[in-house]
Amino acid sequence: MKNTLPETTPFFARDRAWHPPAFTPGYKTSVLRSPQRALISLEGTKSEITGPVFGHNIIGEFDNDLLINYAQPGESAIGERIMVYGRVLDERGRGVPGALVEFWQANAGGRYRHKKETYLAPLDPNFGGFGRTITDEEGGYFFRTVKPGPYPWPNGVNDWRPAHIHFSVFGHGFSQRLITQMYFEGDPMIWICPIVKTVPDQEAIKSLIAALDMNATIPHDLRAYKFDIILRGRRSTLFENRLEGN
Amino acid sequence: MVQLLNYLKESPSQTAGPYVHIGCTPNFVGIHGVYETDLGSGSMVNDKTRGERITIRGFVYDGAGNPLKDALVEIWQADADGFYNSPSETRGTADPNFFGWARCPGDMATGEFVFETIKPGRVPFKDGRLMAPHISFWIVARGINIGLNTRMYFSDEEQANAEDPILSRIEHRVRVPTLVGQREGDTVTFDIHLQGEKETVFFDV
């Protein structure tokens, strides 16, 4: 049975020991960009429970196909062809339909298409490196792309990011807003990365690693990686006080 | 043994990184031809939008007092009558000509962010008291491991601010002004300080 009532209850409190803390000196830029005072806790009001919900009309036909959405006609991006798919769920395990998922990444050589990027690996003229989609009724999403390459960055003298795809997700409430990164199963770079290591709990890190899924892989075409994204859950409406504005 | 609760854990946050624009505002960094416009860009109002037009301008500063030039700022607010344009809004119907959400990357040379919007109406707190007019802010950038939530209130709402249930929760009263945008004419200036003496109040919402 599907519950189609609008959800109006507050979200579960965020487990801030599971997320990375603000101050993580191994990731140097965080040193001057982390608040030093405690956050002020605020149980969700109408301002946090509500949030923008986007219509399918914003999504173009090829927005979820990075192999071709920037390519010349008949061309496609160079690299390992993959599909990334999964579901957006809440902490109660329910699919989040209508969630906007945006993603961006470097090309197969680890080069980003960005004005401020100077890495010597070349751009791929047929690869832009970004896309977006909206989840279906069960919270499912998918996109096609090439597997991004690892990428050196000025942190330690020899720091390299593992292959990763950035994700930005909108649920239904503004306080569900989440940006994170997806990593690839078996990548030895994951465990030495200062940005990965901002996450204190190893189980939490594992939840950002997408598994190779041979069952979803399309023979002679592309391999599949499965990545589920979990957003904050809402309290059940059972016995919820329906005060004005709650 | 007790029965398991079986809740899933939220996906842990990671920084948006320096190239967040590629995914969220590609046209802003000169990557054209995929999205017609950047999501959340441009004015939030049209001719039919109800309410008082305002422009919000500000910078995000780091702990050394330097403006971030790679931050992405998102705002979420009620319409002129205090209704949110969201399926979770149950008190009434929001102005159909006001979406209520926008995003703006800091200018790559100066770091300034700008929003063309309207002043929101008052929204009730859960006990029915009215909150003062406010706009929710969410800030991400390289070096920020988890998005920062704050609110902007208005300097021309002294009375409403004085009775706001959220502002009144802030024990260190000297910090309250960090949440108040300074209004002059149609412009509201709201600077965000990530760290240090002028540190903005951030919320765990």
Side-chain angles (χ1 to χ4, degrees):
Chain A
M1 194 177 73
K2 218 160 81 65
N3 177 8
T4 53
L5 289 175
E7 299 181 295
T8 57
T9 47
F11 293 99
F12 299 150
R14 213 163 219 166
D15 181 354
R16 297 222 172 229
W18 178 257
H19 287 283
F23 178 72
T24 49
Y27 173 26
K28 295 181 180 183
T29 316
S30 76
V31 172
L32 281 176
R33 295 185 172 196
S34 45
Q36 293 169 323
R37 318 274 182 113
L39 301 178
I40 297 205
S41 297
L42 166 58
E43 195 197 22
T45 72
K46 207 79 191 171
S47 305
E48 290 78 32
I49 292 166
T50 58
V53 174
F54 299 90
H56 288 267
N57 60 321
I58 67 163
I59 305 294
E61 190 181 356
F62 302 112
D63 281 5
N64 71 338
D65 193 343
L66 282 62
L67 291 176
I68 60 166
N69 71 4
Y70 193 79
Q72 293 299 311
E75 301 286 318
S76 104
I78 290 175
E80 298 178 36
R81 294 164 60 88
I82 60 169
M83 166 173 69
V84 178
Y85 84 99
R87 291 176 74 202
V88 178
L89 303 164
D90 70 16
E91 289 169 299
R92 290 160 69 190
R94 304 177 309 173
V96 182
L100 174 66
V101 182
E102 299 167 294
F103 25 85
W104 65 100
Q105 63 170 90
N107 68 22
R111 175 71 187 267
Y112 281 98
R113 185 174 289 281
H114 191 283
K115 285 176 176 173
K116 290 190 177 175
E117 154 72 286
T118 55
Y119 181 36
L120 52 77
L123 286 167
D124 176 346
N126 291 307
F127 187 69
F130 60 96
R132 61 187 175 187
T133 188
I134 288 180
T135 57
D136 64 23
E137 281 303 307
E138 279 77 48
Y141 77 91
F142 66 93
F143 60 94
R144 297 203 306 173
T145 186
V146 293
K147 190 175 175 187
Y151 162 79
W153 58 301
N155 187 64
V157 290
N158 192 22
D159 279 338
W160 294 71
R161 298 301 324 281
H164 65 281
I165 299 176
H166 297 264
F167 280 74
S168 170
V169 189
F170 289 81
H172 299 169
F174 198 52
S175 59
Q176 278 180 309
R177 201 71 186 82
L178 181 73
I179 282 186
T180 190
Q181 301 181 28
M182 181 201 106
Y183 304 99
F184 291 84
E185 179 181 2
D187 186 345
M189 306 298 293
I190 294 171
W191 305 101
I192 56 175
C193 172
I195 288 179
V196 173
K197 288 198 282 191
T198 63
V199 178
D201 188 312
Q202 202 159 77
E203 289 305 310
I205 293 172
K206 286 181 189 167
S207 75
L208 295 180
I209 303 174
L212 174 66
D213 184 348
M214 289 309 292
N215 287 346
T217 286
I218 304 173
H220 307 285
D221 183 349
L222 51 75
R223 290 178 306 151
Y225 282 88
K226 180 167 185 287
F227 184 57
D228 286 343
I229 300 159
I230 317 299
L231 301 181
R232 295 169 70 179
R234 287 182 196 257
R235 283 215 300 264
S236 158
T237 49
L238 303 170
F239 298 105
E240 188 73 41
N241 289 326
R242 303 305 291 258
L243 294 170
E244 178 61 30
N246 189 8
Chain B
M1 271 300 276
V2 295
Q3 295 187 357
L4 297 173
L5 291 170
N6 283 336
Y7 288 111
L8 302 175
K9 295 294 284 184
E10 188 186 8
S11 296
S13 174
Q14 293 267 265
T15 180
Y19 307 130
V20 60
H21 311 102
I22 294 175
C24 295
T25 57
N27 290 288
F28 173 77
V29 283
I31 314 174
H32 302 292
V34 181
Y35 302 157
E36 198 172 311
T37 57
D38 290 335
L39 195 66
S41 65
S43 175
M44 294 168 74
V45 303
N46 63 39
D47 294 346
K48 293 182 193 151
T49 307
R50 297 194 296 269
E52 200 182 334
R53 270 65 176 159
I54 56 168
T55 301
I56 302 169
R57 293 180 167 277
F59 297 86
V60 182
Y61 293 100
D62 70 13
N66 295 314
L68 272 60
K69 293 170 184 172
D70 51 14
L72 185 74
V73 180
E74 292 184 0
I75 64 171
W76 171 242
Q77 66 168 102
D79 70 9
D81 299 315
F83 294 109
Y84 284 101
N85 195 335
S86 157
S88 304
E89 175 60 88
T90 50
R91 298 164 299 139
T93 306
D95 183 348
N97 289 297
F98 188 67
F99 189 56
W101 174 85
R103 81 171 23 143
C104 183
D107 184 273
M108 285 174 78
T110 67
E112 189 176 35
F113 61 83
V114 181
F115 293 102
E116 305 281 346
T117 184
I118 50 131
K119 187 171 172 182
R122 295 179 75 172
V123 175
F125 189 57
K126 60 183 176 176
D127 60 8
R129 280 184 292 165
L130 290 177
M131 296 190 278
H134 64 275
I135 295 178
S136 297
F137 274 66
W138 190 68
I139 302 118
V140 292
R142 174 173 70 104
I144 296 178
N145 289 325
I146 181 165
L148 294 166
N149 290 93
T150 189
R151 285 184 174 198
M152 186 195 87
Y153 290 81
F154 294 82
S155 62
D156 58 339
E157 290 284 350
E158 233 169 284
Q159 182 57 42
N161 291 346
E163 61 191 37
D164 181 82
I166 306 302
L167 291 178
S168 65
R169 286 270 306 280
I170 299 169
E171 189 185 340
H172 299 102
R173 301 308 295 166
V174 294
R175 301 195 65 203
V176 172
T178 68
L179 297 178
V180 181
Q182 295 303 310
R183 179 155 184 183
E184 277 177 55
D186 299 334
T187 300
V188 185
T189 304
F190 184 57
D191 290 335
I192 294 159
H193 295 267
L194 298 180
Q195 187 189 85
E197 248 174 68
K198 296 187 222 166
E199 189 172 307
T200 300
V201 169
F202 297 105
F203 294 101
D204 184 10
V205 294

